[in-house]
Amino acid sequence: MPVYVGLDCSTQSLSAVAIEVGTARRRVLFEHTLSFDEALPYYGTKKGVLPSTDPLVMTSSPLMWAEALDRMMGVIATNGGFELARLAAISGSAQQHGSVYLHASATGVLASLDPARPLVEQLAGSFTRDSSPVWMDASTSAQCTEISTALGGDAALARLTGSRAFERFTGPQIRKFYRSEPRAYERTDRIHLVSSYLASLLAGAHAPIDPGDGAGMNLMDLRRARWADAALDATAPGLRKKLPDLELPWTVIGRLAPYWVRRYGFPPSKVVVWSGDNPCSLIGAGIVRPGNVAISLGTSDTLFALMAEPRVDPAGTAHVFGAPTGDYMSLICFRNGSLARERVRDAHGLDWDGFSRALRETPAGNRGRILIPWFEPEITPTVLAPDVRRYGLEPDDAAANVRAVVEAQMMAMAIHSTWTGNAVERIHATGGAARNREILQVMADVFAAPVYPLEAGNSASLGAALRAAHADALDSGHAPPWDDIVAGFAPLPDAALRPDPRNVEVYRALRPVYAACEAHSLHGTPDPALLLTAFRERQQR
Ligand code: XUL
């Protein structure tokens, strides 16, 4: 039975998962995580990021990622618990947007890695920039404005690339490097994403970028999955020849380089193009057709969905990336997630059981009592300063405030995802708060769709392993449907929470009322008092 390995290089750690995929048995064989701060302390990272005097600058070490990869492959070889000869293919996932800058000599180094010496020793002279900007970097506002202006504004850039200019996106980061260190930029032969850099180390040759991660650069024509000349020109001179090629997300880019074969005893398994952690998580969460949505309830709440068409968010706050299925995916982030739930819980001296009880004891629609929960500046919709508002809601009514915060979050997610154009048919819920069934019931009722809780685990590395399985099948002449690829790893139907038809009706009526309260808070549009009264009267009938 073949085994597939998926790696995930996140901000703070490198994780690996090995899965066994047979007709009768499909299961996770091995999982392991190396924390950068703990396993490789001599790079000096804190939570995976190098110290910086400028709080807007966030970088990490490309050599550290290479050393982590070397170590992880050693761990898999010795402790993976499977015969290495069964490893059919390997792929990976990486934090999006981060970039690695290589000198021309890197091409030769990659092609002739010596299995007797550690990877880092051989790579050390290959960089034109020792540190790599990562997705938390916010230091490129000036470059965002320049790129956006050159391309006809935010809306035009979003239509072309799937997102307006964002500070962490690779294009603005490359422009900043070109402007501040023109000579080092000139000496740079290849600019990789974290994903294509690590794939290059596995294959021993420069790896391509897939449209999932390529869409996080403000450089790719989203519809054509090709580099967009106008965006390249607006970013830095001579950029095209420094970028890897773009290839389909199921491309087998080569075989494990002799370095891995001789050093650790791996077979020359297929190496499949890597992707970003969000596209990989989509697959790991079992989202493989339009109408399937994943909602992660974490510090921030995120909603990601598969889309058949490359639509873009007219408000400019969300992103559209390529999906590993060849479709598109939306990524919408809500900053006031757990943060807001915890604020309400703590303000009323509750624990999570008390929070759940409050949800059970209050009716759907909360008798028209509404909270706008921007305890911190919000990403979706754009709110620059904290702004908490209550409509018909007493601040000291614990139960009503608990229901109000959860209903507000679900309403906002439903309202701000309609632009994706796909009716929500099912939701896979992950993240810490997905353990709370009362919260998930509100989600099911607001979206009028069943909610399937996902088992905790690293969906990005699992998604990478499943992508490896899919690419291997295609490469061997089979074309298995994606449902079959994720079967056995996707959530089980028994665990689903079904929408309650009466509550669905209540929320259908509440939605325009919530939207009016939000618009009132945001833009000072007319007071929604009349709408609220009409809603309350209708609920009492
Ligand atoms: C997405 C983003 C993050 C990183 C985290 O746009 O910046 O999700 O991919 O690893």
Side-chain angles (χ1 to χ4, degrees):
M1 218 182 296
V3 171
Y4 298 95
V5 163
L7 298 162
D8 173 42
C9 182
S10 73
T11 316
Q12 302 196 40
S13 57
L14 179 72
S15 306
V17 64
I19 57 171
E20 176 177 65
V21 179
T23 29
R25 207 168 52 176
R26 308 164 63 78
R27 60 184 179 132
V28 171
L29 292 176
F30 168 78
E31 276 179 288
H32 188 69
T33 295
L34 282 176
S35 146
F36 299 136
D37 296 3
E38 284 162 28
L40 304 163
Y42 34 88
Y43 288 94
T45 56
K46 287 222 163 56
K47 298 191 176 225
V49 175
L50 293 168
S52 155
T53 44
D54 180 346
L56 297 181
V57 170
M58 293 279 189
T59 63
S60 190
S61 161
L63 261 189
M64 177 184 77
W65 294 328
E67 184 163 353
L69 179 68
D70 207 357
R71 246 203 235 181
M72 181 60 92
M73 293 296 276
V75 172
I76 297 171
T78 43
N79 300 330
F82 62 91
E83 236 177 280
L84 290 186
R86 291 170 61 198
L87 180 64
I90 180 166
S91 187
S93 143
Q95 51 171 300
Q96 296 199 247
H97 319 300
S99 41
V100 178
Y101 299 74
L102 294 173
H103 194 263
S105 63
T107 309
V109 172
L110 285 172
S112 56
L113 291 168
D114 174 1
R117 291 160 60 216
L119 197 56
V120 279
E121 213 179 285
Q122 304 179 62
L123 281 176
S126 302
F127 302 92
T128 55
R129 189 177 182 182
D130 290 338
S131 59
S132 289
V134 297
W135 66 278
M136 291 150 93
D137 188 283
S139 67
T140 64
S141 298
Q143 290 75 26
C144 285
T145 309
E146 288 164 4
I147 292 171
S148 184
T149 308
L151 285 159
D154 283 347
L157 182 58
R159 271 197 306 279
L160 178 67
T161 68
S163 300
R164 65 168 168 82
F166 282 89
E167 280 76 0
R168 67 187 191 284
F169 275 46
T170 326
Q173 292 291 342
I174 292 174
R175 183 166 179 79
K176 182 182 155 201
F177 181 55
Y178 151 66
R179 285 287 202 195
S180 55
E181 295 178 58
R183 283 219 291 278
Y185 174 78
E186 185 69 27
R187 279 202 314 277
T188 303
D189 174 66
R190 201 62 56 104
I191 304 176
H192 276 292
L193 289 179
V194 183
S195 60
S196 59
Y197 163 64
L198 292 172
S200 305
L201 299 182
L202 287 182
H206 288 296
I209 288 176
D210 92 309
D213 223 9
M217 302 173 80
N218 282 140
L219 294 174
M220 189 189 85
D221 179 330
L222 181 71
R223 282 165 189 78
R224 297 170 59 229
R226 292 272 165 270
W227 295 123
D229 289 335
L232 300 182
D233 292 347
T235 301
L239 182 53
R240 173 64 194 93
K241 57 180 195 309
K242 298 184 197 287
L243 292 175
D245 290 336
L246 286 159
E247 296 283 358
L248 291 169
W250 43 83
T251 306
V252 173
I253 60 173
R255 301 269 171 172
L256 274 179
Y259 177 83
W260 309 103
V261 174
R262 301 218 193 99
R263 190 170 172 86
Y264 298 115
F266 284 101
S269 318
K270 294 174 189 174
V271 178
V272 174
V273 65
W274 285 39
S275 188
D277 52 2
N278 293 298
C280 288
S281 288
L282 189 80
I283 300 303
I287 303 300
V288 293
R289 46 176 76 225
N292 290 184
V293 170
I295 293 180
S296 165
L297 300 173
T299 311
S300 306
D301 292 343
T302 44
L303 180 151
F304 44 99
L306 197 81
M307 294 158 54
E309 300 293 328
R311 295 175 190 238
V312 293
D313 174 16
T317 56
H319 308 299
V320 182
F321 302 135
T325 54
D327 301 282
Y328 300 89
M329 70 172 287
S330 57
L331 177 75
I332 314 176
C333 194
F334 299 83
R335 171 132 183 234
N336 286 280
S338 282
L339 199 97
R341 291 184 286 275
E342 280 164 21
R343 285 289 188 93
V344 172
R345 184 199 64 176
D346 297 345
H348 299 284
L350 299 171
D351 57 13
W352 287 121
D353 285 341
F355 194 90
S356 295
R357 201 173 326 113
L359 285 173
R360 282 196 298 275
E361 287 169 359
T362 43
N366 209 14
R367 301 196 180 89
R369 293 168 295 187
I370 288 178
L371 176 73
I372 300 293
W374 301 324
F375 291 90
E376 291 289 330
E378 180 52 69
I379 297 172
T380 311
T382 309
V383 180
L384 299 177
D387 187 9
V388 176
R389 308 231 187 164
R390 292 181 173 80
Y391 293 88
L393 176 67
E394 295 300 329
D396 52 5
D397 183 337
N401 277 271
V402 166
R403 177 161 283 278
V405 70
V406 175
E407 289 187 344
Q409 292 174 323
M410 300 304 156
M411 287 279 156
M413 284 199 255
I415 291 169
H416 296 291
S417 58
T418 48
W419 61 267
T420 60
N422 292 116
V424 178
E425 285 161 19
R426 62 188 283 160
I427 300 172
H428 294 182
T430 76
R435 280 192 293 268
N436 185 316
R437 294 188 64 90
E438 286 76 16
I439 293 180
L440 297 192
Q441 188 61 52
V442 179
M443 186 187 282
D445 293 342
V446 168
F447 281 90
V451 173
Y452 297 78
L454 283 181
E455 300 229 338
N458 184 332
S459 56
S461 54
L462 176 60
L466 292 167
R467 287 181 45 249
H470 168 256
D472 180 42
L474 275 184
D475 189 55
S476 315
H478 311 293
W482 275 98
D483 288 303
D484 291 358
I485 297 285
V486 300
F489 297 101
L492 301 171
D494 325 350
L497 289 102
R498 311 266 160 205
D500 175 332
R502 280 166 313 178
N503 295 348
V504 168
E505 276 317 305
V506 172
Y507 288 129
R508 201 162 279 153
L510 186 64
R511 203 157 140 159
V513 186
Y514 182 84
C517 293
E518 201 189 75
H520 177 253
S521 304
L522 269 179
H523 316 292
T525 48
D527 194 302
L530 281 177
L531 276 176
L532 279 161
T533 311
F535 174 81
R536 283 179 204 131
E537 284 174 355
R538 205 176 129 180
Q539 297 307 307
Q540 274 158 14
R541 262 187 261 135

